[in-house]
Amino acid sequence: MSILSFMLLYVVGIPISTLLHEIGHTLGVIVCSKERVHVYLGAKHLPENLRIGRIHFHIRWGLFGFCTPQQGSSLTRKQSLGFIAGGPIMTLAVLLFASYLARYFAAYAGIHYFFNSLFYLNTFQFLATAVPLIYPNWYKPYAGLPSDGYQMLSLLKKISENKNFNEVAFNISLYTI
């Protein structure tokens, strides 16, 4: 890999991939609800830099990001599922697009290396967010937090438990009438 490709990956590729992942989360909220969403890149407590519709951006160059619905918002479990799943889905789309671009620019070594590296970076990001796990202490600033996959699995378990509970409650109420 050329040094220029590596520098571009570090300075541009990682932050843009992270931002796109967080935008994926916002799209899950925007599509599934009427809530406002805050996207943070670089640090969690930054002033707002930009607003596009219901999306509020708080951006400073960084290698990590967060996304949160408006404070006090109440998402249903299904809306929460859309919110959580949006990030890994966007990362999957970015890695597929980077793979396509790496093949498209195969004759141009530097550009090819950049998109190929972006593909591997997003593959790692997809696996690190989609696989259900609690991040280890060395994985700062996410140490101790659940991955998107872990949150989705927990939410799906709650939804299925409530569904069974509601079915039981519905059946009981039918018999008591």
Side-chain angles (χ1 to χ4, degrees), residues 43-164:
K44 191 154 186 181
H45 303 288
L46 293 172
E48 184 178 312
N49 305 86
L50 174 69
R51 184 184 319 173
I52 300 174
R54 293 183 278 148
I55 306 172
H56 302 258
F57 291 94
H58 307 259
I59 298 175
R60 179 180 75 188
W61 183 89
L63 304 176
F64 57 90
F66 299 94
C67 181
T68 59
Q70 182 79 25
Q71 191 172 13
S73 69
S74 56
L75 296 176
T76 66
R77 288 193 174 138
K78 289 182 182 177
Q79 290 169 335
S80 295
L81 191 59
F83 167 64
I84 296 165
I89 291 169
M90 178 66 88
T91 300
L92 181 62
V94 171
L95 80 85
L96 292 173
F97 190 60
S99 174
Y100 168 77
L101 290 175
R103 280 188 251 125
Y104 184 79
F105 289 110
Y108 305 97
I111 298 171
H112 169 75
Y113 289 139
F114 172 76
F115 286 116
N116 202 39
S117 299
L118 197 61
F119 164 76
Y120 287 115
L121 166 78
N122 280 279
T123 299
F124 171 77
Q125 186 175 23
F126 175 75
L127 292 173
T129 59
V131 172
L133 58 91
I134 302 290
Y135 293 117
N137 287 336
W138 57 264
Y139 200 65
K140 303 286 183 195
Y142 304 110
L145 296 174
S147 68
D148 294 336
Y150 188 94
Q151 292 178 64
M152 283 189 282
L153 192 60
S154 298
L155 199 54
L156 287 170
K157 283 181 181 179
K158 286 180 185 176
I159 289 171
S160 69
E161 288 169 4
N162 280 351
K163 187 175 182 183
N164 291 339

